[in-house]
Amino acid sequence: QADFFAQSRATYEVDPVRGFVSSWSAGDVIGIYPLGGDQVAFPISENEGSATARFDGGSWALRSNVKYSAYYPFSKSNYTVSETEIPVSYIGQAQNGNNSTIGLAAYDYLVAAATQPNSNGSVNLTMKHLGAFVRFQLTMPKAATLVSANVASDGTKFVTAGTVDLSAATPVITSKTTASSFDIALSNIACDKDEVVTLYAMVAPADFSSSKINITFIDNEDKTYMYECNGANFVAGKSYNFTIAETSGIDHP
């Protein structure tokens, strides 16, 4: 377990000491909500590739007598959604390439609690990660091309969808639906025998410390490769690494 540093949106770095490290990237957009008002999109304008970036609303000026909250990733569909019910979903995760973190930003939900701008109309927003970053490292018993992975729990269920109240003093995910497992679509992962497959996932905070987590890979010939490890208490803003061996009960030759 390591700290989950708030630094990259489109790309991520896994540091052996600091854990999961991210930084803002070109094209990033955050959603800004005045308390009791409608969403406004603020695109990034300065400092791509760093932990601190500047976002500009263009002709939209922030009023110094109103508090504003923010979230990431921005979604146009939230123009019709109250700031008290910002939706999050962990369904549909995918990984393109072994040990690739591309695509995680869509499930790396960040929020900043309501903050009041200064007299110049600028506001400093501290974005907090709502989920946990999980890395599984698994050794393949034979050469295979993997097409999907299923992550399952025998106890605590995974949050599959929920909402966030941006008006709360400390915004967190409120669970709406849960499931015992979720799928990760895989592409461009052709492995040799004894090669380590590194799989990434974002999960909502939940205590899996009394649960077993099972990983099942499926290859392009519908053969399965099953792995099992003890779970952990997944805390928002933390990263977790599991290095596990294949279990019995496999159906491949």
Side-chain angles (χ1 to χ4, degrees):
Q1 176 178 325
D3 285 334
F4 190 19
F5 282 75
Q7 272 189 49
S8 187
R9 316 293 345 114
T11 58
Y12 296 80
E13 174 191 355
V14 180
D15 186 277
V17 176
R18 295 180 296 164
F20 178 74
V21 182
S22 59
S23 40
W24 295 105
S25 296
D28 279 338
V29 181
I30 60 174
I32 300 284
Y33 272 89
L35 291 190
D38 296 328
Q39 169 181 255
V40 179
F42 273 53
I44 191 170
S45 59
E46 295 179 19
N47 299 333
E48 296 99 337
S50 67
T52 303
R54 180 180 179 87
F55 293 81
D56 194 332
S59 60
W60 292 96
L62 301 182
R63 296 162 54 189
S64 60
N65 63 338
V66 176
K67 287 188 175 182
Y68 295 85
S69 53
Y71 76 96
Y72 178 91
F74 166 79
S75 174
K76 290 181 179 179
S77 62
N78 289 342
Y79 279 126
T80 59
V81 175
S82 165
E83 77 270 19
T84 64
E85 295 185 329
I86 300 299
V88 300
S89 172
Y90 289 95
I91 297 299
Q93 297 189 57
Q95 182 169 319
N96 185 353
N98 190 8
N99 197 26
S100 173
T101 58
I102 296 173
L104 282 179
Y107 300 91
D108 180 16
Y109 299 103
L110 289 85
V111 298
T115 307
Q116 197 157 329
N118 59 29
S119 58
N120 296 322
S122 297
V123 61
N124 292 322
L125 298 168
T126 300
M127 305 292 281
K128 301 288 188 180
H129 296 271
L130 293 179
F133 171 83
V134 182
R135 179 174 71 172
F136 299 101
Q137 294 185 299
L138 317 102
T139 301
M140 289 298 295
K142 58 169 290 187
T145 298
L146 304 177
V147 297
S148 69
N150 178 265
V151 181
S153 166
D154 68 357
T156 302
K157 292 186 176 182
F158 297 98
V159 173
T160 52
T163 58
V164 180
D165 182 357
L166 294 181
S167 68
T170 303
V172 296
I173 295 173
T174 298
S175 173
K176 296 299 182 183
T177 61
T178 61
S180 296
S181 68
F182 64 93
D183 294 321
I184 301 175
L186 304 179
S187 57
N188 296 316
I189 302 182
C191 306
D192 295 326
K193 183 180 185 298
D194 296 326
E195 183 174 349
V196 174
V197 176
T198 302
L199 179 71
Y200 296 97
M202 297 297 302
V203 299
D207 190 356
F208 289 83
S209 56
S210 298
S211 305
K212 295 284 188 182
I213 293 180
N214 299 281
I215 313 294
T216 302
F217 285 131
I218 299 176
D219 70 13
N220 59 348
E221 297 178 348
D222 287 330
K223 294 181 173 62
T224 60
Y225 307 80
M226 293 179 284
Y227 301 79
E228 180 183 272
C229 63
N230 294 321
N233 183 17
F234 294 140
V235 176
K238 297 289 184 179
S239 60
Y240 301 81
N241 184 72
F242 298 90
T243 301
I244 47 184
E246 190 181 30
T247 63
S248 59
I250 57 180
D251 72 0
H252 58 76

